[in-house]
Amino acid sequence: MTARTDVILPGATLGVMGGGQLGRMFVHAAQAMGYRTAVLDADASSPAGLVSHEHIRAGYLDETGLAELARVSAAITTEFENVPAQALDKLAESRPVAPAGRAVAICQDRAREKAHFVACGVDCAPYAMIDTPEQLAAVSDDLLPGILKTTRLGYDGKGQVRVQTRAELVAGWDELQRVGCVLEKMLPLAYEVSVLVARGRDGQVVHFPLQENLHRDGILAVTTVPAPHVTEAVSQQAYAAAHQIAASMDYVGVLCIEFFVLQDGRIVANEMAPRPHNSGHHTIDACDVSQFELQVRAMTGLPLVAPVLHSPCLMLNLLGDLWFPGGASEQVEPDWAAVLALSGTHLHLYGKTEARKARKMGHLTVTGTTPQAARATALQVAAILGIAPF
Ligand code: ATP
Ligand code: MG
């Protein structure tokens, strides 16, 4: 049997736009499979740059940097949602790029993202676009209380203001520098879930079992799989929506879609990310194939397989706050030895030396033989590290 010629095989170099923790875990997965890696990121000590074979220190629109990435890479992906789509389009002139610039462009813009959900027959929260003072004045009272979100460049709850009244809405838009925003109606959430899918060049789509996510201050805090509150009806709807959303963009790569499950049982799509996602980090330790391995497989044309969750688990995000116990003024390393003494704990730190409040420093996955056992251990971990119980 001869090797398939359309597949990029191990030994080749895979390029990634962005050097954050998602890029770092992509590099780990690619290298484990025998690929070489190249990271493009301006930061000399970026988490992915530190572990990659090659690190091209350049901005996302730097022509020389992009040309170098294209020269050394057999295929290119992205780990950062806000990479300019035109940079991906430029790379795509000479190399396979997955996901494509046009799909990333939809995910970068809340208005286009919502229009895409609606076109796929998937509900999202009632909303209005606010680009002008006239649009602000014309907002329906039905959208209040609501959340004003910048149309572009928001993450981890940044670029968002919660508004109860029209006066707060006006002040909130000023606070956001009057950039283009969407005002979303505040919905009564029962819980939140996300679905990760991977789609290949041949159109095959596979998904991970969906995960339930707890956010604190707009930042993901805890992911639990299997999702404790989810019903069969909700999960089937979420999977069908995710497959449809990916297929209708002709998406290639890993895509995450966040959903709200409302108190009346309806599901609405919140937002999507054109890359592996923080809510999928448990897949490294709790699934037979991780989200990062599927990113490698999708971009190289290797087969996708439906991933299996082999262990119930919880993933805890490790934010920089944990390095300052009791409001300490100096950074103190958390007691990893105490945590790792508990069986089923898997520590992932991203190589960031400076801890800052709300900065994602790492994550910790706890696997167990049962969901109850995993949860009990995760609560012990939380108590040791100073994470509030969940
Ligand atoms: P991410 O880090 O996921 O990119 P983000 O900054 O883009 O986050 P969103 O996902 O839009 O922000 O919102 C963050 C969280 O705020 C949600 O997970 C949810 O808990 C809450 N939230 C956002 N929009 C609404 C809404 N319309 N109704 C109720 N809660 C909401
Ligand atoms: Mg979100």
Side-chain angles (χ1 to χ4, degrees):
M1 210 170 92
T2 52
R4 289 174 52 172
T5 51
D6 54 345
V7 173
I8 295 164
L9 289 168
T13 298
L14 303 183
V16 57
M17 291 287 277
Q21 58 264 23
L22 297 171
R24 179 177 172 103
M25 291 181 269
F26 164 79
V27 162
H28 287 153
Q31 291 181 349
M33 295 171 77
Y35 290 96
R36 292 178 54 82
T37 59
V39 167
L40 183 140
D41 192 299
D43 178 0
S45 57
S46 73
L50 291 175
V51 296
S52 179
H53 292 96
E54 300 195 43
H55 178 185
I56 298 160
R57 290 180 202 166
Y60 297 126
L61 287 171
D62 181 303
E63 279 181 27
T64 316
L66 291 175
E68 178 64 6
L69 184 68
R71 191 184 68 77
V72 300
S73 306
I76 297 158
T77 187
T78 182
E79 66 103 47
F80 177 57
E81 181 167 347
N82 290 313
V83 161
Q86 68 262 40
L88 297 177
D89 292 341
K90 178 79 200 157
L91 293 167
E93 288 171 8
S94 58
R95 295 289 181 229
V97 174
R102 67 189 145 64
V104 174
I106 296 172
C107 303
Q108 284 171 349
D109 182 309
R110 287 191 193 272
R112 294 189 64 187
E113 186 171 71
K114 286 178 192 300
H116 185 73
F117 292 151
V118 172
C120 290
V122 179
D123 288 342
C124 52
Y127 71 99
M129 303 301 309
I130 299 184
D131 293 311
T132 64
E134 292 71 31
Q135 285 173 316
L136 186 80
V139 157
S140 155
D141 285 338
D142 284 353
L143 294 179
L144 295 170
I147 307 190
L148 190 62
K149 304 180 177 181
T150 58
T151 305
R152 304 179 67 84
L153 301 172
Y155 72 100
D156 286 351
K158 295 190 176 73
Q160 295 194 6
V161 185
R162 296 184 176 214
V163 293
Q164 303 284 333
T165 61
R166 298 195 90 85
E168 285 182 14
L169 175 61
V170 171
W173 198 42
D174 284 343
E175 193 180 315
L176 296 173
Q177 315 291 327
R178 298 185 164 220
V179 297
C181 284
V182 299
L183 174 67
E184 261 179 52
K185 187 179 174 66
M186 180 72 88
L187 298 175
L189 310 188
Y191 57 94
E192 297 184 55
V193 298
S194 55
V195 174
L196 279 156
V197 297
R199 187 170 181 278
R201 299 198 293 237
D202 59 358
Q204 189 199 358
V205 188
V206 298
H207 62 257
F208 287 91
L210 63 68
Q211 46 271 352
E212 191 166 319
N213 302 319
L214 170 70
H215 292 83
R216 288 177 171 158
D217 299 327
I219 306 177
L220 181 64
V222 182
T223 292
T224 306
V225 200
H229 296 103
V230 86
T231 60
E232 186 57 24
V234 163
S235 49
Q236 289 313 323
Q237 276 182 68
Y239 293 139
H243 281 237
Q244 170 68 19
I245 288 165
S248 58
M249 289 191 287
D250 199 15
Y251 192 86
V252 179
V254 172
L255 176 72
C256 181
I257 297 142
E258 298 178 18
F259 295 94
F260 299 144
V261 184
L262 307 187
Q263 284 166 11
D264 64 9
R266 285 187 303 132
I267 74 165
V268 301
N270 172 27
E271 58 171 355
M272 58 182 170
R275 49 166 173 77
H277 193 258
N278 194 169
S279 65
H281 289 353
H282 66 283
T283 61
I284 298 172
D285 300 301
C287 293
D288 59 350
V289 183
S290 76
Q291 61 173 346
F292 303 101
E293 178 170 342
L294 286 188
Q295 184 180 18
V296 172
R297 290 182 182 222
M299 75 188 289
T300 55
L302 282 169
L304 302 179
V305 288
V308 175
L309 180 82
H310 56 66
S311 303
C313 67
L314 287 88
M315 187 281 312
L316 309 183
N317 259 343
L318 304 173
L319 301 183
D321 312 52
L322 304 183
W323 275 250
F324 301 95
S329 54
E330 299 273 302
Q331 184 170 325
V332 184
E333 197 65 18
D335 190 353
W336 304 125
V339 165
L340 294 172
L342 301 169
S343 95
T345 55
H346 311 273
L347 178 64
H348 298 260
L349 291 172
Y350 307 144
K352 301 178 184 178
T353 47
E354 191 198 342
R356 285 193 302 267
K357 203 169 151 32
R359 187 177 200 202
K360 289 175 179 168
M361 301 295 288
H363 72 270
L364 194 134
T365 301
V366 180
T367 51
T369 48
T370 63
Q372 295 75 14
R375 187 177 159 77
T377 308
L379 285 167
Q380 283 180 276
V381 170
I384 292 167
L385 295 178
I387 298 171
F390 31 84

